[in-house]
């Protein structure tokens, strides 16, 4: 439509302005784009928070998975273009003189662009972390404590918005999103996170509930995709556009396709359910050692170190279905490691050490 073309063309002007006048901040903006990567939720934020507060850690995974699922559905409904291919195909520029937008190794995402998954994932998980931190100070009653709470409130929410704005600017700078797409992503993420502030049932969910939720999310997404395909609407329309207009074919990654994100999130949710409902979790995280600071610090350090090793495990991409299966297994192994395997090993080590000392 004319209004959307106008919105996109104004967005291109903003991208050109950023790429021209903020070149000195390129490394910082690329870094902030990595900060907003939803995969950091499972490999960094979750291991830290789960050992500090299991309620917050559990909520974080649910918010990340459901938020990313909604992001996928919204992308399929909105059919949002990405700047780096839109400027090559639009007819609104005269004499075929389309603007030149610089691309980067992280520019060429293959899914639709609206809303931004990075902005949505970043806002939802940081919203959970900020509200969790403030929940500790809101209970303070005396006058000086109330003043401290207000200062803490202002400080944490300022940090929240600084991070969200930085992530949004970084995604626009690398020409992978238009400005309106990142703004929509931020507020969509906040809505999802706020909804889970009023959903305590996830804390007591059984393994059966985790499996049912996984099946519902997968069947709904697959059914939605197949139904529209029967109507001759290809929801993977963005993949050939990304391959056609990406400046470097090596920058195209199957990990950015819509179904890759879906499989990754379903694996993480299943791994969390498997871990929380395991005997290893009950023995370690619900035992006497769970209250010790040393136990939690060791679990955090061991979890972060182990998950970094997972980054060295490269999943073969030559067969798409094999990639999805292995991606599901790898994603399930990460929360399972944090929730059950690492705490159980630390618990066993501490128990052995205590026996030797006695």
């Amino acid at each position: 439509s004319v209004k959307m073309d106008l919105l996109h063309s104004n967005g291109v002007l903003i991208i050109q302005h950023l790429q021209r006048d903020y070149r000195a901040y390129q490394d910082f903006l690329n870094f902030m784009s990595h900060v907003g990567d939803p995969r950091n939720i499972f490999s960094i934020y979750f291991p830290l928070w789960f050992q500090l507060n299991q309620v917050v850690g559990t909520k974080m995974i649910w918010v990340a998975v459901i938020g990313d699922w909604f992001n996928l559905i919204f992308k399929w409904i909105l059919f949002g273009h990405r700047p780096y291919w839109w400027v090559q195909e639009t007819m609104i520029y005269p004499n075929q003189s389309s603007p030149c937008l610089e691309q980067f190794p992280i520019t060429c995402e293959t899914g639709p662009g609206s809303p931004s998954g990075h902005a949505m994932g970043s806002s939802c998980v940081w919203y959970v972390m900020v509200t969790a931190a403030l929940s500790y100070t809101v209970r303070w009653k005396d006058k000086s404590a109330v003043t401290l709470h207000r200062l803490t409130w202002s400080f944490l929410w300022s940090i929240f918005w600084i991070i969200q704005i930085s992530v949004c600017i970084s995604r626009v700078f690398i020409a992978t999103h238009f400005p309106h797409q990142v703004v929509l992503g931020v507020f969509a993420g906040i809505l999802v996170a706020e909804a889970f502030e009023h959903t305590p049932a996830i804390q007591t969910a059984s393994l059966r509930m985790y499996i049912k939720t996984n099946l519902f999310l997968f069947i709904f997404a697959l059914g939605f995709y197949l139904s529209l395909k029967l109507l001759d609407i290809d929801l993977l329309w963005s993949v050939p556009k990304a391959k056609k207009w990406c400046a470097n074919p090596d920058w195209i990654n199957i990990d950015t396709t819509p179904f890759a994100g879906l499989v990754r999130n379903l694996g993480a949710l299943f791994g969390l359910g498997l871990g929380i409902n395991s005997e290893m979790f009950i023995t370690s995280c619900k035992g006497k050692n769970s209250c010790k600071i040393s136990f939690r610090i060791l679990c955090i350090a061991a979890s972060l170190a182990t998950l970094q090793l997972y980054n060295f495990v490269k999943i073969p991409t030559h067969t798409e279905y094999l990639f999805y299966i292995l991606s599901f297994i790898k994603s399930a192994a990460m929360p399972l490691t944090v929730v059950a395997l690492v705490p159980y090993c630390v618990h066993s080590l501490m128990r052995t050490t205590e026996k030797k000392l006695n």
Side-chain angles (χ1 to χ4, degrees):
S1 68
V2 175
K3 288 183 178 180
M4 189 58 68
D5 283 341
L6 181 62
L7 187 63
H8 284 161
S9 62
N10 288 333
V12 168
L13 292 176
I14 294 174
I15 296 170
Q16 288 181 305
H17 168 67
L18 289 173
Q19 292 188 345
R20 181 181 65 249
D21 299 336
Y22 288 80
R23 173 66 57 195
Y25 304 99
Q26 177 180 331
D27 291 340
F28 171 74
L29 292 173
N30 284 334
F31 170 74
M32 289 308 300
S33 192
H34 285 295
V35 168
D37 193 330
R39 285 169 289 197
N40 289 332
I41 299 170
F42 308 116
S43 61
I44 299 175
Y45 304 137
F46 172 65
L48 285 170
W49 273 96
F50 188 81
Q51 302 305 337
L52 296 173
N53 188 316
Q54 292 171 10
V55 171
V56 177
T58 301
K59 186 193 300 182
M60 189 176 291
I61 292 290
W62 277 89
V63 166
V65 170
I66 301 300
D68 209 51
W69 183 83
F70 272 115
N71 182 263
L72 172 64
I73 301 301
F74 289 153
K75 283 180 185 293
W76 279 347
I77 292 173
L78 297 177
F79 282 78
H81 290 274
R82 293 186 185 271
Y84 76 91
W85 76 57
W86 181 82
V87 294
Q88 304 292 341
E89 298 191 343
T90 182
M91 303 300 293
I92 71 168
Y93 297 108
N95 301 323
Q96 303 296 320
S97 57
S98 58
C100 180
L101 299 181
E102 185 176 354
Q103 296 183 24
F104 303 86
I106 55 176
T107 295
C108 301
E109 299 213 6
T110 58
S114 187
S116 166
H118 279 63
M120 192 168 174
S122 176
S123 65
C124 73
V125 73
W126 279 94
Y127 188 92
V128 169
M129 290 192 287
V130 169
T131 53
L134 290 174
S135 68
Y136 290 104
T137 62
V138 75
R139 306 187 189 105
W140 299 342
K141 299 298 181 183
D142 58 275
K143 191 173 182 179
S144 60
V146 170
T147 303
L148 182 58
H149 168 71
R150 289 174 180 171
L151 289 173
T152 305
W153 187 94
S154 299
F155 173 75
L156 290 179
W157 283 116
S158 296
I159 293 296
F160 172 85
W161 284 111
I162 288 172
I163 290 173
Q164 303 322 311
I165 292 171
S166 298
V167 169
C168 289
I169 292 175
S170 72
R171 301 301 288 171
V172 175
F173 174 84
I174 64 174
T176 199
H177 284 295
F178 291 103
H180 69 278
Q181 296 174 341
V182 293
V183 172
L184 180 60
V186 168
F187 288 102
I190 291 173
L191 287 175
V192 171
E194 179 60 27
F196 275 89
E197 292 293 318
H198 311 285
T199 315
I202 60 175
Q203 302 298 334
T204 56
S206 64
L207 180 58
R208 179 177 294 181
M209 179 57 66
Y210 277 91
I211 294 174
K212 285 182 178 179
T213 303
N214 256 14
L215 287 174
F216 170 78
L217 297 178
F218 178 73
I219 292 172
F220 185 96
L222 183 62
F224 187 71
Y225 169 78
L226 293 176
S227 297
L228 290 185
K229 193 170 184 179
L230 289 174
L231 297 175
D232 254 352
I233 301 175
D234 183 14
L235 293 180
L236 299 181
W237 60 273
S238 59
V239 178
K241 289 183 181 292
K243 292 179 177 179
K244 180 178 180 180
W245 297 114
C246 184
N248 187 337
D250 293 336
W251 294 347
I252 296 290
N253 193 338
I254 190 175
D255 201 32
T256 66
T257 59
F259 279 112
L262 175 66
V263 169
R264 183 171 59 247
N265 287 306
L266 294 182
L269 189 63
F270 176 72
L272 176 66
L274 199 61
I276 283 182
N277 291 279
S278 68
E279 285 297 325
M280 287 189 291
F281 170 76
I282 295 171
T283 301
S284 55
C285 293
K286 296 296 183 181
K288 63 177 183 177
N289 284 329
S290 62
C291 298
K292 296 179 180 178
I293 298 298
S294 58
F295 173 80
R296 296 187 179 188
I297 292 175
L298 284 171
C299 286
I300 290 173
S303 295
L304 289 173
T306 305
L307 293 186
Q308 296 313 306
L309 293 177
Y310 284 163
N311 292 331
F312 294 101
V313 179
K314 300 302 180 184
I315 300 175
T317 58
H318 58 276
T319 305
E320 193 170 355
Y321 292 111
L322 178 62
F323 172 83
Y324 291 145
I325 293 171
L326 294 179
S327 180
F328 179 89
I329 294 172
K330 180 181 176 181
S331 299
M334 296 176 74
L336 181 62
T337 298
V338 174
V339 171
L341 297 178
V342 166
Y344 184 77
C345 291
V346 172
H347 169 76
S348 300
L349 180 63
M350 293 179 69
R351 188 175 58 182
T352 302
T353 304
E354 287 173 359
K355 286 181 179 179
K356 288 180 179 180
L357 291 175
N358 294 332

